[in-house]
Amino acid sequence: MTLTVVDMHTGGEPLRIVTGGYPRIPKGTILEKRAYVRDHLDHLRKILMFEPRGHYDMYGALLVEPDLPGADLAVLFMHNEGYSTMCGHAIVALGRYAIDEGLVAKQEPITTVNIEAPCGLVVASVEVLDGKAGAVSFESVPAFLLAGDQQIELTGYGKIGFDIAYGGAFYALADCHQFGLEFGRDRVRDFVDAATTLTNRLKAEFPLSHPDHADLAFLYGTILTDGRDAFSGEVTKNICVFAEAEVDRSPTGSGVTARLAAMLAKGEIAIGQTRTFESIAGSHFSGAVARTARAGPHEAIIARVGGRAYYCGRTEFIVEPDDELGRGFLLR
């Protein structure tokens, strides 16, 4: 078995783009393709995401044939637990990749790349200067605050206030100080434990719904913030813990989108105001509410999120027939 990939990173968060080795995915909607890959080809995800070729926090992208009219490409996202519905850091990387690989014709100063994700069509705008692709921003699907100013009693932490917002995936949003945590002082492990505790409790007790499709109605993870939600010139920091306690090294594109939806709904930011979001690794995304929208019964926004992606390498992976560990394992 041979699998080929291009590795990139956006704000420190890895993206392993599959370039060869997968069988052809049957025609259908993007959510049908996602279900097919999950049900029939999950062994390939484990080979690419898990050790010894990947690690607990690896992230991947599989390009598939688009189904939506006007889409230049379509993508399925993969990680340590399974398959996501949206990934902003991947969109930033794929915007640059699409131009460099000739999947779309480059135009200066901006090339538009229409990317079909499981959550819907995402429009990436790629800066092109002297023929080279650079910074990327994107406008995603309508994002909205599902539940604001909620509270729950968590064992070991006490009463915790949180919001739940959708930015292509659903996240719980909570101020880290409620857990006794502070960025720059406490261990990443402590943030992971706190976020995972909240995620697991809400998954069990807080049912979600999405107006477009039931497959979108799941809690992807928890974002712990520094509490600086009200607009200012200051950078606001957050950490996103998603899937099976996976830590995003970037500020999280879909997470920034969800935060912006919550901020606008609570009167903490205005349309057009640009905020800088910082990750646990110190990387930055820009984020702004471009305009308002609707998502079924929900008042929603279209966010514009921007960042930069870089190449790490191109690799050909093999799996020998008698290598059981080579089929993928995780130690954490």
Side-chain angles (χ1 to χ4, degrees), residues 175-242:
D175 186 336
C176 72
H177 297 101
Q178 299 177 98
F179 298 87
L181 299 173
E182 186 173 323
F183 287 106
R185 184 193 70 190
D186 295 298
R187 302 178 306 165
V188 172
R189 180 72 256 173
D190 297 328
F191 283 88
V192 172
D193 290 344
T196 302
T197 300
L198 181 56
T199 296
N200 290 342
R201 182 71 177 278
L202 293 179
K203 280 183 176 180
E205 299 184 13
F206 205 104
L208 303 179
S209 63
H210 192 281
D212 291 343
H213 202 289
D215 279 358
L216 302 175
F218 65 94
L219 188 65
Y220 192 31
T222 288
I223 297 173
L224 298 182
T225 77
D226 59 7
R228 296 174 179 170
D229 294 323
F231 178 77
S232 75
E234 289 186 296
V235 171
T236 178
K237 195 162 189 173
N238 60 233
I239 180 173
C240 178
V241 182
F242 66 97

Side-chain angles (χ1 to χ4, degrees), residues 112-311:
T112 299
V113 183
N114 295 315
I115 303 174
E116 181 181 3
C119 65
L121 189 67
V122 182
V123 180
S125 299
V126 186
E127 295 179 5
V128 181
L129 179 62
D130 296 329
K132 183 178 179 180
V136 179
S137 63
F138 66 85
E139 291 188 359
S140 187
V141 295
F144 55 89
L145 177 65
L146 179 70
D149 299 323
Q150 304 294 301
Q151 286 193 333
I152 197 166
E153 190 79 25
L154 286 185
T155 302
Y157 297 106
K159 188 172 290 186
I160 299 296
F162 66 93
D163 301 327
I164 293 182
Y166 180 79
F170 280 105
Y171 296 95
L173 311 173
D175 186 336
C176 72
H177 297 101
Q178 299 177 98
F179 298 87
L181 299 173
E182 186 173 323
F183 287 106
R185 184 193 70 190
D186 295 298
R187 302 178 306 165
V188 172
R189 180 72 256 173
D190 297 328
F191 283 88
V192 172
D193 290 344
T196 302
T197 300
L198 181 56
T199 296
N200 290 342
R201 182 71 177 278
L202 293 179
K203 280 183 176 180
E205 299 184 13
F206 205 104
L208 303 179
S209 63
H210 192 281
D212 291 343
H213 202 289
D215 279 358
L216 302 175
F218 65 94
L219 188 65
Y220 192 31
T222 288
I223 297 173
L224 298 182
T225 77
D226 59 7
R228 296 174 179 170
D229 294 323
F231 178 77
S232 75
E234 289 186 296
V235 171
T236 178
K237 195 162 189 173
N238 60 233
I239 180 173
C240 178
V241 182
F242 66 97
E244 191 63 39
E246 186 163 338
V247 179
D248 198 331
R249 275 71 172 160
S250 82
T252 309
S254 55
V256 166
T257 301
R259 283 193 70 187
L260 288 166
M263 288 174 177
L264 185 73
K266 299 171 80 169
E268 294 167 337
I269 198 169
I271 296 173
Q273 290 181 321
T274 299
R275 196 78 192 272
T276 301
F277 297 80
E278 183 176 324
S279 76
I280 194 69
S283 58
H284 289 171
F285 281 173
S286 62
V289 177
R291 58 191 179 277
T292 58
R294 298 288 301 180
H298 306 288
E299 295 183 0
I301 69 162
I302 299 297
R304 175 167 286 273
V305 179
R308 294 189 70 99
Y310 298 91
Y311 290 95

Side-chain angles (χ1 to χ4, degrees), residues 56-68:
Y56 195 90
D57 297 316
M58 180 55 75
Y59 204 96
L62 173 65
L63 299 185
V64 296
E65 184 178 351
D67 182 60
L68 286 178

Side-chain angles (χ1 to χ4, degrees), residues 98-121:
I99 291 174
D100 294 340
E101 293 296 315
L103 302 181
V104 296
K106 67 179 68 171
Q107 296 182 357
E108 298 191 21
I110 299 293
T111 300
T112 299
V113 183
N114 295 315
I115 303 174
E116 181 181 3
C119 65
L121 189 67

